[in-house]
Amino acid sequence: MEQKDLDVVAVGHALVDLRFTVSKFASPDEEADIEEQSTGPGGSAINVALITSRLGGKAAVITKIGLDNFGRQIVEELVRSKVDISGLKVGFGSTGFSVLMIDKEGNIVLYGYKGCAEKLDPDEIDEKVIARGKFVHIASLRPDTSLRAAVRAKELDAMVSWDPGRRLSMAGLKTLRGLIKFVDIVELNSRECANLTGLRDPVACAEEIQRVGPSTVIVKMGPRGLYALSDDFTGYVPAFKVSVVRDSTGSGDTFAAAMLLRLSRGERLKEALVYAQAVAALKVTMLGANALPPVEEIEKFYQEHRKEVEAGIADKPPAE
């Protein structure tokens, strides 16, 4: 059996984000000013792996890129951040990309071209990399490849974390049941939870998903906090407050990376959730799907505000 030397193996999309900060979202036949433009690697697998590494963990990616400039940009950032790329595949198509319009309040309009990222076939899942992971995190990836990754992870004694993402959640619980039963931790936002189950109440939604098989279900509610259902901890955890929201892209991936890293180091779920909330809160203050302040600043923010957040922990989320 392979040594478990990786905290997180991230399986999912590798994309390049083309970000435009705009004065406002333009209506049809209307023009709005672009105030800032930037590019950088993105996509679920890339974000989770980069954040894990930047927080001091060891990460690998299993994903697919094209043999083009976008693909090279992704590889350069992964290597620079010391992410294991032995599970990365290269296809003959184009590397995927996202076009993001971000307004002054941090709201996002997103257009995506998945390219090679969605062409990662089940047979391209690198089992040697899977075997080295303590946690295998699968996000926003086509169901057949996600299923192969989840099944092999369970067979190779890894914990499986899954985030369906916007599009896949719309397939519904019945369609995705065969995948979800191999998952240990489900993380999704409140809209995805409603898409998946048809239930808007986070408590009822989490209970419905847990019946399929996952031991832990986490429903993220943005600035309202989250609700977790697990044998280790069940309850509501409020969000950390920040003064400005610049870009919420990748906040869910940031949360997943921070939580899984803490769990891989032996921390209990409640403590891992509080820490992950702190990291995700700081992420939204910065432009870029995997942008973070230095670890020292994260730790300072976490220690200064954790007691306030812990004081707000309750059995159930407050009414909207």
Side-chain angles (χ1 to χ4, degrees):
M1 181 177 290
E2 292 278 351
Q3 180 183 358
K4 296 287 186 182
D5 63 334
L6 295 170
D7 295 298
V8 180
V9 175
V11 186
H13 291 157
L15 311 170
V16 166
D17 290 340
L18 310 176
R19 296 180 292 267
F20 301 91
T21 303
V22 298
S23 57
K24 65 174 184 175
F25 295 138
S27 301
D29 297 321
E30 183 183 20
E31 182 177 336
D33 291 333
I34 294 174
E35 299 181 343
E36 187 176 357
Q37 187 272 329
S38 62
T39 65
S44 55
I46 302 304
N47 292 337
V48 170
L50 288 175
I51 293 295
T52 299
S53 182
R54 288 167 183 168
L55 290 174
K58 294 183 178 181
V61 291
I62 297 178
T63 186
K64 195 168 190 176
I65 60 171
L67 195 63
D68 52 24
N69 289 335
F70 281 172
R72 186 172 68 248
Q73 185 176 346
I74 291 168
V75 170
E76 288 175 352
E77 185 60 35
L78 291 172
V79 171
R80 186 162 42 243
S81 300
K82 299 180 180 179
V83 172
D84 187 307
I85 61 170
S86 57
L88 185 145
K89 305 298 181 184
V90 179
F92 290 108
S94 301
T95 302
F97 61 90
S98 298
V99 178
L100 300 103
M101 305 294 178
I102 307 164
D103 72 5
K104 293 180 178 180
E105 284 73 47
N107 299 310
I108 298 168
V109 172
L110 172 66
Y111 299 90
Y113 170 70
K114 303 307 180 189
C116 277
E118 195 68 357
K119 296 177 181 177
L120 182 71
D121 293 324
D123 290 342
E124 293 181 300
I125 294 296
D126 192 317
E127 296 184 1
K128 289 184 178 180
V129 178
I130 293 285
R132 293 167 54 203
K134 298 174 186 176
F135 285 88
V136 173
H137 179 72
I138 307 164
S140 307
L141 187 64
R142 54 190 255 195
D144 58 341
T145 306
S146 296
L147 179 61
R148 175 67 65 86
V151 169
R152 290 304 288 141
K154 297 300 292 179
E155 292 171 347
L156 293 167
D157 198 29
M159 295 287 286
V160 179
S161 166
W162 179 67
D163 183 336
R166 300 174 185 89
R167 290 189 177 183
L168 195 56
S169 68
M170 298 178 71
L173 196 60
K174 184 177 179 180
T175 299
L176 297 172
R177 184 178 298 270
L179 166 61
I180 296 172
K181 69 181 183 182
F182 290 101
V183 173
D184 298 293
I185 304 172
V186 174
E187 304 141 47
L188 69 180
N189 64 37
S190 52
R191 179 175 294 180
E192 293 160 354
C193 206
N195 290 341
L196 196 63
T197 66
L199 301 169
R200 296 194 173 277
D201 175 59
V203 176
C205 178
E207 291 172 347
E208 184 73 10
I209 295 171
Q210 193 184 58
R211 291 188 189 100
V212 179
S215 59
T216 301
V217 181
I218 300 161
V219 183
K220 299 168 290 185
M221 300 179 287
R224 292 185 58 225
L226 63 81
Y227 176 76
L229 176 63
S230 175
D231 290 339
D232 188 23
F233 168 75
T234 294
Y236 164 77
V237 180
F240 283 72
K241 296 178 182 178
V242 291
S243 58
V244 62
V245 176
R246 286 202 70 196
D247 179 11
S248 61
T249 315
S251 57
D253 296 328
T254 300
F255 172 87
M259 179 191 70
L260 295 176
L261 178 58
R262 286 298 177 112
L263 291 176
S264 78
R265 302 291 171 83
E267 202 163 81
R268 301 298 294 267
L269 179 61
K270 182 169 74 172
E271 288 72 27
L273 291 173
V274 174
Y275 175 75
Q277 288 276 70
V279 181
L282 287 175
K283 187 266 143 261
V284 304
T285 67
M286 303 181 70
L287 186 64
N290 42 68
L292 276 185
V295 172
E296 296 77 15
E297 289 184 26
I298 295 172
E299 188 64 25
K300 183 174 183 288
F301 176 80
Y302 171 59
Q303 295 297 344
E304 287 178 350
H305 300 283
R306 64 181 296 187
K307 289 185 179 179
E308 179 184 350
V309 170
E310 289 171 344
I313 292 174
D315 291 337
K316 293 184 178 182
E320 291 190 58

